[in-house]
Amino acid sequence: MTHGADDSGIDASGIDASVIDASGGGAAVPAGKVGWLELLKDGLTFDLKGLSGGNPVPQPDVAAHLGVTAADLQDKAVLTLAPGPHLAGAERLLPVIRVTAALLRDLVRTGAASAVVWLPARLAVRTDLFEKAVSPWLEGGPFPTPALVALHRETSGKLRTEGLKFLINQELIIESDSGGASVALPKVAMRLVDWLVAHGPLSGPTEAVLAGTGAVFLEVEGGGPILARCD
């Protein structure tokens, strides 16, 4: 993403950061302002690091990709966006995540970034797909699972989430009652993540009734992942 100079006196020109990673957690502010910028969005401040003149940001740890490959991200410059120190302890709250997503959307609209990496899910998403996922949510639509929660297919055919724990302190494992790798599981998983984000963590057996899907039976043992079975 290419930035111009700003009125804080930071020379951010000439940066071509093709990856923006969002840590979801507060980051220590550098001693100086070289390569760092404080951004204000809806009354919340965020730290953007990796700008020209500062230390380069290392490549993020990515385990899942949507619309991009590991080769696409290799050797790309990286910017890191994190909630400011005043939001320490509040970074997992949904209103803060919503503003973070809105700011990321604003950032990718300003330049030539090729991907957004949501670090709690270790998920890299092509920028146009990220915007396509988060924009409806910011306007009152369903939670943007494709942008903020990774879905991993296991050899048994089950789907396992990564990143849901950041939101509700539990991950999800979903399987079909018929066994095997059901092609419908990803759609059910996305609707179920939306339901779980709205209803919060589970402490016992629950039945979730999802639009267009029907009843999904949920179980949880202790502090482990949520186990879901659907037709």
Side-chain angles (χ1 to χ4, degrees):
M1 178 180 298
T2 303
H3 298 267
D6 69 286
D7 59 9
S8 68
I10 304 170
D11 180 12
S13 61
I15 268 290
D16 183 18
S18 297
V19 179
I20 302 174
D21 70 51
S23 69
V29 176
K33 286 191 173 183
V34 176
W36 168 78
L37 186 66
E38 185 177 69
L39 301 176
L40 179 66
K41 178 74 174 178
D42 295 343
L44 305 181
T45 60
F46 296 81
D47 297 331
L48 183 67
K49 297 195 295 183
L51 300 173
S52 62
N55 294 326
V57 175
Q59 286 287 324
D61 179 21
V62 176
H65 302 79
L66 180 61
V68 293
T69 66
D72 294 331
L73 305 182
Q74 191 174 7
D75 299 325
K76 299 291 187 182
V78 179
L79 297 180
T80 296
L81 180 73
H86 74 294
L87 290 172
E91 57 271 4
R92 297 188 180 202
L93 296 180
L94 210 55
V96 176
I97 295 174
R98 189 184 298 271
V99 177
T100 304
L103 182 53
L104 284 168
R105 184 183 65 172
D106 292 345
L107 288 170
V108 300
R109 285 175 171 176
T110 66
S114 58
V116 172
V117 177
W118 184 249
L119 294 181
R122 297 192 301 158
L123 171 63
V125 184
R126 200 175 67 209
T127 50
D128 62 315
L129 297 179
F130 182 88
E131 182 174 351
K132 182 179 179 180
V134 302
S135 292
W137 181 50
L138 297 175
E139 297 165 5
F143 182 79
T145 301
L148 303 182
V149 177
L151 297 177
H152 300 287
R153 177 78 72 173
E154 299 188 340
T155 55
S156 63
K158 299 177 183 179
L159 281 182
R160 172 179 55 84
T161 66
E162 183 174 0
L164 183 60
K165 187 173 183 178
F166 183 76
L167 301 159
I168 67 168
N169 208 34
Q170 289 174 305
E171 294 291 0
L172 169 68
I173 297 174
I174 181 171
E175 64 179 340
S176 171
D177 279 340
S178 59
S182 171
V183 295
L185 280 186
K187 181 183 292 186
V188 176
M190 287 190 288
R191 290 175 177 171
L192 191 51
V193 167
D194 179 61
W195 188 92
L196 288 168
V197 169
H199 290 79
L202 299 185
S203 58
T206 303
E207 181 179 278
V209 179
L210 308 178
T213 299
V216 178
F217 300 96
L218 308 174
E219 299 175 317
V220 62
E221 294 184 4
I226 298 167
L227 306 177
R229 294 180 175 86
C230 62
D231 295 334

